[in-house]
Amino acid sequence: MNSVRALVRQTISLQRTSVISRRAFHISPASMSDAIFLHRDTPDNNSKIPFEFDADNKKRIEEILKKYPAQYKKAAIMPLLDLGQRQHGFTSISVMNEVARLLEVPPMRVYEVATFYTMFNRQPVGKYFLQLCTTTPCQLGGCGSTKILNTLTEELKIQPGETTKDGLFTLVEVECAGACVNAPVMAINDDYYEDLTPETTKKLLDNLKAGKTITPGPQSGRHTCEHAPGVYTTLNDEPYGPGFKVRADL
């Protein structure tokens, strides 16, 4: 009996050691969105606030629906939500309900789309929606996105996820913007502003505050993403041509 008990104790001890020494495959904390999937009624976002597409957007909707068979017009949920957001300023619950009514789908089908894609802002945002990329390439490229983020928070007196008191700016951090070669990059509404520095970032903000037009694209003088010799490339010698390091008898 004692030998059996000793064997059981040894087995339990080994199991405990195995559990304690086990390491998770992912050691980084999960990154969660700062937006909730559930809707919460607020004074400026509730189903009692009426919404209707204006005359111009109704014409656009007619053209959009022509692209889909009548039985599949639910495929137009995304473009109609985009139209609603551009007209209303954000994708409110009333916008979603109107899209559901027009497309003759259950409202939940529209809610599912609006809560999945981060392009739909379900809460009011400022006139200028600043989306700063803070992933690795933008952290390493140029002066680094951290300096740009610090400049934005210092100049606007807000933190990511907040809107200025005058309703002019909303600042958020986003994942890769797909313009790594022009890092750091920030989207302002629909346009990208690239090759940012603290100085050019402040200039953009000052011009927006003054109601002046700003020019999208690289703020460094580059036209698009062409290299600047000795600055943005390691290609400092003449490129080799066809046949390089290939036997002459082949």
Side-chain angles (χ1 to χ4, degrees):
M1 180 64 71
N2 290 335
S3 61
V4 172
R5 288 177 178 173
L7 181 61
V8 170
R9 290 193 188 101
Q10 184 178 7
T11 303
I12 294 174
S13 177
L14 289 173
Q15 288 176 344
R16 287 176 177 174
T17 303
S18 176
V19 171
I20 293 173
S21 62
R22 188 181 300 155
R23 295 178 59 191
F25 184 76
H26 297 288
I27 60 175
S28 300
S31 178
M32 302 297 183
S33 170
D34 58 0
I36 61 173
F37 291 104
L38 300 178
H39 172 75
R40 296 285 188 260
D41 278 351
T42 60
D44 51 9
N45 187 9
N46 62 78
S47 58
K48 295 180 181 179
I49 300 175
F51 173 81
E52 183 181 359
F53 285 101
D54 59 31
D56 288 339
N57 277 336
K58 286 180 179 179
K59 293 179 181 178
R60 294 187 179 97
I61 290 172
E62 290 178 3
E63 293 302 316
I64 290 172
L65 293 182
K66 290 178 182 179
K67 300 178 181 179
Y68 307 99
Q71 69 273 29
Y72 294 119
K73 62 181 180 181
K74 64 182 179 181
I77 288 177
M78 290 185 69
L80 264 61
L81 282 176
D82 181 62
L83 278 180
Q85 177 166 278
R86 291 176 185 278
Q87 177 181 318
H88 189 59
F90 70 104
T91 305
S92 69
I93 191 71
S94 298
V95 170
M96 299 183 215
N97 290 339
E98 178 64 6
V99 169
R101 186 189 69 81
L102 290 173
L103 298 181
E104 300 178 283
V105 297
M108 181 54 68
R109 295 300 186 192
V110 180
Y111 302 161
E112 290 170 345
V113 175
T115 56
F116 182 82
Y117 292 101
T118 57
M119 63 184 283
F120 298 119
N121 301 311
R122 295 184 295 112
Q123 299 298 330
V125 297
K127 179 179 180 181
Y128 301 111
F129 188 45
L130 313 181
Q131 301 177 77
L132 176 66
C133 177
T134 55
T135 42
T136 305
C138 276
Q139 287 180 336
L140 300 177
C143 67
S145 59
T146 300
K147 289 186 178 180
I148 305 304
L149 180 60
N150 291 339
T151 300
L152 291 168
T153 56
E154 290 170 5
E155 291 293 322
L156 299 177
K157 310 301 181 187
I158 58 174
Q159 295 300 316
E162 298 178 348
T163 300
T164 54
K165 293 181 179 180
D166 59 5
L168 205 57
F169 298 96
T170 293
L171 172 64
V172 296
E173 295 182 58
V174 297
E175 297 300 316
C176 185
C180 308
V181 72
N182 292 67
V185 60
M186 173 174 63
I188 303 179
N189 295 345
D190 291 332
D191 296 315
Y192 275 14
Y193 297 82
E194 305 154 344
D195 293 339
L196 295 172
T197 64
E199 294 74 25
T200 55
T201 301
K202 185 178 183 302
K203 184 178 179 181
L204 287 171
L205 296 177
D206 289 342
N207 286 335
L208 290 173
K209 291 176 183 177
K212 297 180 180 179
T213 302
I214 56 176
T215 303
Q219 304 299 302
S220 60
R222 283 201 285 179
H223 178 59
T224 53
C225 58
E226 76 281 2
H227 78 280
V231 180
Y232 294 106
T233 184
T234 57
L235 186 62
N236 297 316
D237 299 321
E238 185 69 22
Y240 50 80
F244 181 72
K245 290 189 176 181
V246 177
R247 284 168 43 193
D249 59 333
L250 293 180

